[in-house]
Amino acid sequence: MLNILYFGDNWNYSTAYHRASALERIGHQVTHYHAEEGLPKFFKSSLIKAINFRSGYRLVQPFIQRKLKEILQSGIKPDVIWVDNGEFFGKRCLQILKQFNCPVILYSIDDPTGKRDGRRFDSLLGAITLYDAIAVVRNKTADDFKAMGAKKLIRVMMSYDEIAHAPYLYEEEIPVEFKSEVTFIGTWMRNENRDEFLNVLIDAGISVSIWGDRWAKSQHFSKLEPYYRGTSIGGRDYVAAIQGAKICLGLLSKGNRDLHTTRSMEVPYAGGLLCAERTSEHMELYQEGTEAVFWEDAHECAALCKKLLAESKIETIKKAGMKKVRTLKLGNEDICKLILEKGLSTAT
């Protein structure tokens, strides 16, 4: 059993919480801190959060450093420190963490060297060389970090959570408000053209249910609004929306250089039918047409959805996808085991 000092951040707090819980389930003792805990109220406003995001969290560095010093002075003796996503932790923060005299591992699910989020990761990028090991979910991120001098890189796939994303045992348990034909669960993002993609499906006569934040910002929202079911959902509602849909769309973030996403694992695990872009990584994960379905563009996606909805293969594909994702061992427990095994075998 390891004594793990675990730092989650605000952006991925729910997924960070799931990974911390997974570490506990596999037998480790986890002391968990939220990176924003203890920040002055000033930093909680939407405006200041936006400024922090766009400036690489420079303004919060003195406060985060002070908190880390308090933890250091508390006398806690971790065997390993796990930093999840790391956008709040700059170079000086890592220098403080190194004083615990144990390996420090970063798990980076985002794309810090990509272009989508501007300067959001400036603080993190200044600290890359101080981590003993870094786990990433993109080959391009791994290449960039290696060029920046990262000590040890571990390439993993994104993951589902064995507990949080477990399907309902019986279909009748799924609340009727979460049942749909085709669903997309995700945020509207500028320059990602997700709204235009969904418009193609709507024009093809497909009833699309949309869950997520910021969709009112879309210039096409007046057309999308009748299909909009509400803001972002989590917990059992998230599982219900996946399992209760006949088809679940998996849209990638081009700005994040995605070839797969967490949805690629969560949807089949939760009992949904994954309908996603045909990428090299999706093709490696699932057999097309039997374990998941793939498309090249919105028009092919629309035709594929209409064909599936008219046939009787949906339940067969759902069951095959659910079986396959479990054999791949891509749950949080397995991924966390892998990161610790590889990270601690070489971290100094």
Side-chain angles (χ1 to χ4, degrees):
M1 180 185 77
L2 295 172
N3 184 0
I4 301 175
L5 181 55
Y6 189 103
F7 294 96
D9 66 19
N10 182 58
W11 187 259
N12 266 340
Y13 184 62
S14 60
T15 53
Y17 175 79
H18 292 157
R19 281 187 283 275
S21 298
L23 287 166
E24 291 178 333
R25 295 197 300 267
I26 61 177
H28 302 299
Q29 180 177 332
V30 180
T31 302
H32 180 248
Y33 287 94
H34 187 285
E36 285 190 310
E37 283 179 1
L39 286 182
K41 188 177 181 180
F42 170 79
F43 289 106
K44 306 297 175 64
S45 74
S46 298
L47 174 62
I48 299 303
K49 283 187 175 182
I51 291 173
N52 272 324
F53 185 97
R54 289 172 172 80
S55 63
Y57 295 92
R58 287 179 173 83
L59 295 178
V60 301
Q61 290 306 296
F63 299 94
I64 299 292
Q65 293 163 19
R66 187 181 306 158
K67 180 63 176 179
L68 294 180
K69 289 177 181 177
E70 290 176 4
I71 298 171
L72 178 65
Q73 292 165 2
S74 72
I76 187 173
K77 301 292 184 184
D79 299 308
V80 59
I81 295 171
W82 182 302
V83 177
D84 203 288
N85 222 40
E87 62 190 27
F88 284 84
F89 287 59
K91 184 175 181 179
R92 178 57 185 150
C93 292
L94 264 292
Q95 290 171 341
I96 296 169
L97 291 181
K98 298 296 283 184
Q99 294 178 50
F100 283 94
N101 295 316
C102 68
V104 183
I105 295 174
L106 170 68
Y107 177 77
S108 176
I109 195 172
D110 269 297
D111 187 13
T113 55
K115 305 301 181 185
R116 190 190 73 181
D117 294 336
R119 307 196 67 168
R120 171 188 169 192
F121 293 103
D122 279 8
S123 293
L124 166 67
L125 295 176
I128 289 298
T129 59
L130 294 175
Y131 284 97
D132 295 289
I134 303 176
V136 297
V137 296
R138 296 171 184 81
N139 287 329
K140 289 183 178 180
T141 309
D143 291 341
D144 292 341
F145 280 2
K146 183 177 181 180
M148 294 170 64
K151 294 177 183 176
K152 170 66 178 178
L153 289 162
I154 306 162
R155 172 67 164 89
V156 297
M157 302 295 281
M158 297 189 200
S159 54
Y160 58 84
D161 188 78
E162 294 86 347
I163 303 300
H165 302 130
Y168 285 84
L169 291 177
Y170 304 102
E171 185 177 349
E172 54 268 26
E173 294 178 340
I174 302 172
V176 65
E177 62 265 29
F178 293 111
K179 294 189 176 182
S180 65
E181 290 204 334
V182 178
T183 192
F184 174 65
I185 306 169
T187 304
W188 175 87
M189 296 180 183
R190 184 174 281 105
N191 301 321
E192 292 287 356
N193 300 322
R194 291 176 169 182
D195 45 7
E196 295 178 11
F197 186 100
L198 295 176
N199 271 338
V200 171
L201 272 62
I202 291 168
D203 288 341
I206 296 169
S207 178
V208 181
S209 295
I210 305 167
W211 300 91
D213 295 333
R214 300 172 61 196
W215 282 93
K217 292 180 178 290
S218 167
Q219 63 179 330
H220 303 292
F221 187 65
S222 59
K223 183 175 179 179
L224 296 172
E225 190 171 11
Y227 303 90
Y228 183 64
R229 302 283 288 273
T231 55
S232 60
I233 48 177
R236 299 310 291 164
D237 290 349
Y238 175 67
V239 173
I242 290 174
Q243 196 176 357
K246 293 180 180 178
I247 300 170
C248 292
L249 300 176
L251 304 185
L252 305 178
S253 170
K254 295 297 189 274
N256 249 9
R257 303 186 292 183
D258 288 340
L259 292 176
H260 78 287
T261 72
T262 54
R263 299 283 191 276
S264 306
M265 318 305 174
E266 293 166 356
V267 168
Y269 182 79
L273 191 160
L274 177 65
C275 178
E277 184 174 345
R278 188 181 292 108
T279 68
S280 57
E281 291 182 0
H282 278 151
M283 298 286 284
E284 290 172 9
L285 288 165
Y286 304 109
Q287 185 173 348
E288 183 173 4
T290 58
E291 297 169 342
V293 295
F294 304 129
W295 39 262
E296 190 72 26
D297 56 29
H299 295 284
E300 184 181 2
C301 178
L304 184 57
C305 287
K306 292 184 76 170
K307 184 173 185 291
L308 285 168
L309 292 169
E311 296 177 344
S312 57
K313 295 173 57 178
I314 287 177
E315 289 304 316
T316 301
I317 297 173
K318 281 186 175 185
K319 290 177 182 177
M322 181 187 288
K323 181 179 179 181
K324 179 60 174 294
V325 78
R326 282 161 170 73
T327 66
L328 294 172
K329 295 187 178 298
L330 295 176
N332 278 333
E333 294 173 19
D334 287 307
I335 294 298
C336 286
K337 285 179 185 176
L338 179 65
I339 291 172
L340 286 175
E341 178 184 332
K342 292 192 172 183
L344 296 181
S345 67
T346 56
T348 57

